[in-house]
Amino acid sequence: MATYERHHCWSLLLRLFHWMFALSIIFLIVTGFYINTPWTNTMIEGSASFPMATMRYIHYIAAYVLSSAVLIRLFLYIFGNAQERVWDILPITGRNLNNLKMTLLQYSYISNKHDERLGHNILAGLAYLLTFIAALLMIVSGFYMLYPESAFWAKWGVMLFGSQQFARYLHHITMWWFMIFAVVHIYLCIWNDCTEPEGLISSIFTGAKFKHKA
Amino acid sequence: MADTVKKVLDPQLDRRGFLKGCTMAAAALGMSEAMIPKLVEAAATAERPRVIWLHFQECTGCTESLLRSSHPDLARLILDIISLDYHETVMAAAGHQAEENLHATVNNHPFILVVEGAIPTKDGGIYCKIAGKTAMDILAEVAPKASAIIAIGTCATFGGVQAAAPNPTGAVGVQDLVSGVPIVNIPGCPPNPVSFLGTILHYLTFKRLPALDNLNRPLFAYGRRIHDHCERRAHFDEGRFVEQYGDAFHKLGYCLYKVGCKGPETFSNCPAVRFNDVDVWPVSVGHGCIGCTEPNFWDTMTPFYERLPMVKIPASGIVGSADKIGKTVLGITAAAVGIHAAVGIGKRLIKGKSSDKA
């Protein structure tokens, strides 16, 4: 029988980031679809019914939660624990490059070997970094649309996007990345949990992973 | 029968029309009532600034909208307070005489340059020539000597329809070719004559150009979003939309958002100033805004009756709505996930759980 030992992997702040990020994205996508294509038509005049205003209100609250989550992740990329720092997932060292290769081989069923490490594997880490950058794009384009008359956002918005409409277009297209990412992310978490019994899924609640005793 | 010929040609303006025009401009500029006498004074007494008006790649719609406003006062006021030395549509001179007027002003006097129309730059600029010279050469000759440049209309500011993809003539706006001279952009297709008048009067009164936004548009006219001043905004917030043109909701005057109105991403004073002195603008008569005051609007605001531009996938010929392509990619991803899972299960069934690492 194998014996496992418990390793602390994710700080409370990272777990907070994860759930703020995940839940805000769910709300943002649903309300975002409504804002782009309102699927209701109230047709009632003079009533206290504000579906579009309410959806926008929820969208903006969720947007502030997402922005806060991204700030937390930015802090953790620099000041987090060993697994959380950005250096841990960049394919710049021999060890990390090897992990990237082994992960790709394992995911394509070519090899059964699992390169054991406590934090993210490099493939996952890079996907999370890309999602982090996509979230930054959503935040900048979102605030540009929300505060078009503020000198700060108008300056940056025009510089980065040229016009509100182009910001809106990028904002909408980038949203699809989050949905595609979610499908792959949830699947691979379940897949890894089945393949390697290290408590991957529960680690995002408890912060602990289980490793073979050396 | 009114003497229409004399009305058009006679630059005389009655005092009532003159004061009305100044008041409209003051309102557009957001100035206090107390400033109106100063505007009037500047317009009446200042030396009439010389203006050269160059036409390049355009339809003359901006000039037309200025001159053919239902109420002639505005056009007459503009023609009364400026000395229009060169304007291809309205000048009496022709041929060499016109060229001589142009050069006399350019070389001997301070002047304001108004540009209407985009400038083609491809193949040495041969796609627009006047008097044997390309638009690029004419602009390069005239623009550096101007004390200020007003680019009127979306063509002169951002390239307009000529610059729409694939932009066969390499058309660009004035600001892409000229530097070192203050430029004011008054985009729109056409822009409101009041925005042009306000800029001119501001310049005459204060001897400087009005405050500009990041796209060099005067803030008094382009500082606010159309959506935020729209008379149909309540219908938007309360979720009442026109589903298609001509339906019952359209007749009730509901919000045009779902039929592609670009008011939420367009900056202009249209809902406040309106057009043609009869208090109309596109949205008030039941057509959505097409976003004509924004850069590259022919590319980013089309299809005019959809919310977002189509996605073009390079080198594949695939053009589709963002949501259609998004759904396709998401479907492919889900299918790939399913296949991956099936392969894993299949492999395990064939090989058995022999490699149990425990």
Side-chain angles (χ1 to χ4, degrees):
Chain A
M1 279 296 284
T3 46
Y4 287 93
E5 59 186 10
R6 194 174 191 271
H7 290 269
H8 179 70
C9 182
W10 307 123
S11 65
L12 186 63
L13 204 53
L14 185 119
R15 286 173 271 155
L16 185 70
F17 148 75
H18 179 271
W19 291 112
M20 280 168 76
F21 198 69
L23 292 176
S24 66
I25 284 171
I26 293 170
F27 279 96
L28 283 166
I29 286 175
V30 173
T31 55
F33 268 120
Y34 185 86
I35 292 165
N36 186 61
T37 320
W39 58 77
T40 63
N41 211 332
T42 48
M43 294 175 267
I44 307 157
E45 291 178 43
S47 72
S49 153
F50 300 97
M52 178 57 91
T54 311
M55 286 292 189
R56 277 158 49 93
Y57 184 58
I58 297 168
H59 196 80
Y60 301 146
I61 292 172
Y64 274 103
V65 174
L66 179 97
S67 308
S68 318
V70 164
L71 282 179
I72 293 174
R73 193 68 186 96
L74 183 67
F75 173 82
L76 290 173
Y77 266 141
I78 303 164
F79 301 109
N81 69 27
Q83 295 80 252
E84 292 159 5
R85 293 193 185 193
V86 70
W87 318 116
D88 194 55
I89 53 98
L90 289 179
I92 45 173
T93 63
R95 174 177 167 266
N96 283 3
L97 278 169
N98 184 52
N99 176 273
L100 182 61
K101 193 185 90 188
M102 290 191 60
T103 308
L104 285 169
L105 288 175
Q106 196 198 357
Y107 281 2
S108 52
Y109 298 117
I110 292 168
S111 152
N112 270 333
K113 268 192 226 120
H114 177 61
D115 183 28
E116 210 170 284
R117 54 189 276 139
L118 190 55
H120 302 309
N121 71 53
I122 303 304
L123 190 64
L126 287 178
Y128 303 157
L129 188 64
L130 190 62
T131 308
F132 176 82
I133 292 164
L136 283 180
L137 180 69
M138 294 306 259
I139 291 168
V140 174
S141 55
F143 276 109
Y144 173 44
M145 287 190 280
L146 183 57
Y147 298 117
E149 282 151 31
S150 111
F152 176 82
W153 288 112
K155 187 176 142 218
W156 281 97
V158 167
M159 206 185 289
L160 291 170
F161 308 111
S163 68
Q164 287 250 314
Q165 175 72 348
F166 197 68
R168 189 172 302 266
Y169 178 65
L170 281 183
H171 199 80
H172 191 87
I173 298 234
T174 313
M175 168 198 68
W176 284 96
W177 166 257
F178 290 89
M179 282 189 273
I180 291 157
F181 169 81
V183 168
V184 176
H185 176 63
I186 293 168
Y187 169 69
L188 281 176
C189 284
I190 296 170
W191 187 88
N192 269 290
D193 215 38
C194 293
T195 319
E196 294 296 324
E198 57 177 25
L200 183 79
I201 288 178
S202 67
S203 74
I204 203 61
F205 298 98
T206 63
K209 280 191 184 179
F210 294 87
K211 296 284 169 198
H212 293 290
K213 213 169 215 169
Chain B
M1 191 64 199
D3 187 0
T4 49
V5 174
K6 191 158 183 290
K7 258 187 190 165
V8 173
L9 295 177
D10 183 6
Q12 288 298 313
L13 183 68
D14 63 26
R15 180 156 181 82
R16 184 181 162 80
F18 178 73
L19 291 177
K20 254 169 78 179
C22 289
T23 309
M24 276 171 80
L29 284 162
M31 284 177 176
S32 124
E33 205 183 344
M35 283 304 295
I36 296 174
K38 294 214 166 97
L39 283 184
V40 170
E41 195 191 329
T45 61
E47 193 194 342
R48 290 158 77 206
R50 290 169 182 273
V51 171
I52 291 177
W53 191 301
L54 295 176
H55 293 255
F56 296 133
Q57 281 185 315
E58 42 89 351
C59 67
T60 318
C62 300
T63 292
E64 290 288 339
S65 82
L66 200 76
L67 298 178
R68 289 182 191 271
S69 51
S70 62
H71 213 282
D73 285 357
L74 209 56
R76 285 221 243 149
L77 174 60
I78 292 168
L79 294 177
D80 203 47
I81 60 175
I82 62 175
S83 163
L84 198 54
D85 288 9
Y86 183 89
H87 185 303
E88 280 146 20
T89 312
V90 299
M91 65 188 173
H96 293 295
Q97 201 184 9
E99 284 295 300
E100 202 185 305
N101 287 352
L102 174 64
H103 292 117
T105 304
V106 169
N107 295 325
N108 305 325
H109 302 283
F111 64 96
I112 298 172
L113 173 63
V114 180
V115 180
E116 184 180 345
I119 304 101
T121 58
K122 210 170 183 177
D123 302 326
I126 57 166
Y127 300 106
C128 179
K129 278 186 161 184
I130 298 151
K133 282 188 287 186
T134 64
M136 276 171 87
D137 288 342
I138 296 170
L139 190 69
E141 182 192 337
V142 176
K145 293 178 180 162
S147 41
I149 300 176
I150 299 174
I152 189 166
T154 299
C155 299
T157 52
F158 307 124
V161 68
Q162 295 80 222
N167 195 355
T169 64
V172 296
V174 175
Q175 61 185 2
D176 296 319
L177 293 175
V178 177
S179 57
V181 183
I183 299 177
V184 184
N185 285 334
I186 307 195
C189 198
N192 199 315
V194 171
S195 306
F196 178 72
L197 175 66
T199 307
I200 293 271
L201 274 180
H202 191 286
Y203 188 73
L204 286 182
T205 311
F206 302 107
K207 312 288 178 227
R208 60 183 163 82
L209 294 168
L212 305 177
D213 72 1
N214 292 287
L215 293 165
N216 289 333
R217 303 179 292 192
L219 278 171
F220 76 82
Y222 300 93
R224 311 294 292 276
R225 197 153 51 173
I226 282 182
H227 188 54
D228 296 336
H229 294 264
C230 179
E231 65 250 38
R232 299 189 187 221
R233 177 59 188 263
H235 294 302
F236 172 81
D237 286 331
E238 296 179 27
R240 292 190 293 268
F241 300 99
V242 174
E243 298 289 342
Q244 61 181 53
Y245 286 104
D247 70 4
F249 312 130
H250 195 204
K251 287 174 191 159
L252 287 165
Y254 288 174
C255 175
L256 297 156
Y257 185 78
K258 283 181 87 170
V259 286
C261 179
K262 303 298 189 301
E265 45 266 29
T266 306
F267 294 77
S268 184
N269 54 2
C270 305
V273 176
R274 305 184 174 225
F275 281 83
N276 299 340
D277 307 335
V278 287
D279 276 349
V280 294
W281 66 296
V283 170
S284 77
V285 293
H287 190 284
C289 166
I290 60 168
C292 70
T293 63
E294 295 299 309
N296 307 321
F297 90 95
W298 287 100
D299 293 328
T300 61
M301 300 292 181
T302 48
F304 287 141
Y305 304 110
E306 302 285 338
R307 287 236 47 76
L308 291 164
M310 293 291 175
V311 183
K312 293 184 190 73
I313 296 173
S316 69
I318 295 175
V319 178
S321 78
D323 286 337
K324 199 179 158 202
I325 287 177
K327 275 177 201 162
T328 310
V329 176
L330 190 66
I332 294 169
T333 311
V337 160
I339 291 166
H340 190 269
V343 169
I345 293 165
K347 198 181 160 197
R348 189 169 283 203
L349 284 176
I350 294 162
K351 277 195 170 177
K353 271 185 105 179
S354 56
S355 61
D356 196 341
K357 285 171 231 76

